[in-house]
Amino acid sequence: MNKEQFYKKVEEKTNIVLSDIQKKQYEKYFELVVEWNQKINLTAITEEEEFYTKHFYDSISLSFYRDYSKVSNICDVGSGAGFPSIPLKILYPHLEVTIVDSLNKRIKFLNLLQEELGLTNCNFIHARAEEVGQDKNFRESFEIVTARAVARLNVLVELCLPLVKKGGYFLSLKAQKAEEETNEAINAIKLLGGKLEQDIEFDLEGEERHILEIRKTKETPNKYPRKAGLPNKKPLL
Ligand SMILES: C[S@@+](CC[C@H](N)C(=O)[O-])C[C@H]1O[C@@H](n2cnc3c(N)ncnc32)[C@H](O)[C@@H]1O
């Protein structure tokens, strides 16, 4: 979809009338990713319409199923060039956004992006989610934790659920095979204090998408997340 179609669809779906400032922020965001992508690898998608669909609209789809005007803080694990949390932050400027990414050049890009777009209340952390999940300043402190295209669900839940406050949600954005990943992760979700509440399936211009909503019902046992690399090497069964 082109940018005008994107603005129209977002306004229809969320009832938020985008200001000129917000529209300029999306436009500048796209330009900066394309410019910086020549120096550091940020994304394979640089064609404008595809970018608006697969990065902006896909990220914003989270807000079609939950009212973020009532959410105060979110954490985005493995956000890369800022997806899905920065498009959401533009739509909901009050949100306090924490991003955790293990690749420092992407964190540097996010700092520049924040400055260029004039975003406030953002915290970009260069670290592995396994370390941040064991840090008492961050553990069990976010209402919402998101992740897109970071790892399989049974790995992701160990990285993300420890960061979620009791009563909050881990929202995992997935493409096809979400059901297979869900089945594989069902024990890990329980072990980490979560409960899969919903698998929201939708169509993104002909492509299958899912938002898996995992609610944190109990505290995560202290030993999780295990040390860096282990969730990937030996996913919880
Ligand atoms: C394929 S990119 C996806 C970026 C973005 N979420 C998106 O959907 O476009 C995966 C990102 O996750 C980060 N990552 C992978 N494992 C991580 C971990 N254990 N802790 C923090 N970041 C991690 C990588 O550095 C990379 O930036």
Side-chain angles (χ1 to χ4, degrees), residues 6 10 14 26 55-64 84 87-89 91:
F6 168 74
V10 170
T14 62
Y26 286 115
H55 285 325
F56 289 162
Y57 194 73
D58 193 31
S59 298
I60 290 294
S61 65
L62 284 171
S63 70
F64 305 158
L88 263 188
K89 166 76 182 167
L91 190 59

Side-chain angles (χ1 to χ4, degrees), residues 42-43 54-55 58-59 76-84 100-104 106 125 127-131 147-151 155 159 228-229 232:
L42 292 170
T43 177
K54 293 197 176 159
H55 285 325
D58 193 31
S59 298
D76 193 9
V77 169
S79 183
F83 307 117
V100 179
D101 201 290
S102 53
L103 215 59
N104 201 29
R106 296 197 172 134
I125 305 173
R128 295 191 64 123
E130 294 94 318
E131 296 153 12
R148 188 186 80 157
V150 179
V155 176
L159 305 182
N232 244 315

Side-chain angles (χ1 to χ4, degrees), residues 148-159:
R148 188 186 80 157
V150 179
R152 284 183 79 81
L153 190 63
N154 58 350
V155 176
L156 264 187
V157 286
E158 187 171 354
L159 305 182

Side-chain angles (χ1 to χ4, degrees), residues 59-202:
S59 298
I60 290 294
S61 65
L62 284 171
S63 70
F64 305 158
Y65 307 99
R66 179 175 297 274
D67 182 4
Y68 284 81
S69 62
K70 297 189 176 76
V71 174
S72 66
N73 69 5
I74 71 169
C75 176
D76 193 9
V77 169
S79 183
F83 307 117
S85 55
I86 299 294
L88 263 188
K89 166 76 182 167
I90 294 173
L91 190 59
Y92 294 94
H94 76 281
L95 275 181
E96 193 183 313
V97 172
T98 298
I99 284 178
V100 179
D101 201 290
S102 53
L103 215 59
N104 201 29
K105 54 190 181 173
R106 296 197 172 134
I107 294 291
K108 283 189 180 156
F109 169 75
L110 291 170
N111 279 309
L112 171 125
L113 180 74
Q114 174 189 25
E115 214 166 281
E116 294 278 334
L117 266 50
L119 304 175
T120 55
N121 274 333
C122 294
N123 183 18
F124 304 134
I125 305 173
H126 172 222
R128 295 191 64 123
E130 294 94 318
E131 296 153 12
V132 180
Q134 287 294 0
D135 183 332
K136 63 176 176 1
N137 294 313
F138 301 105
R139 188 179 175 88
E140 311 212 304
S141 64
F142 297 99
E143 285 171 48
I144 303 279
V145 176
T146 58
R148 188 186 80 157
V150 179
R152 284 183 79 81
L153 190 63
N154 58 350
V155 176
L156 264 187
V157 286
E158 187 171 354
L159 305 182
C160 296
L161 268 173
L163 293 164
V164 182
K165 247 185 206 177
K166 218 168 120 186
Y169 283 87
F170 165 45
L171 305 177
S172 171
L173 285 93
K174 291 281 176 193
Q176 318 90 326
K177 299 196 179 154
E179 199 183 334
E180 189 185 308
E181 288 197 38
T182 304
N183 289 335
E184 190 182 66
I186 218 73
N187 287 334
I189 294 172
K190 201 169 163 205
L191 189 66
L192 295 159
K195 184 174 183 289
L196 177 68
E197 269 194 355
Q198 267 202 94
D199 172 357
I200 301 167
E201 185 177 340
F202 64 98

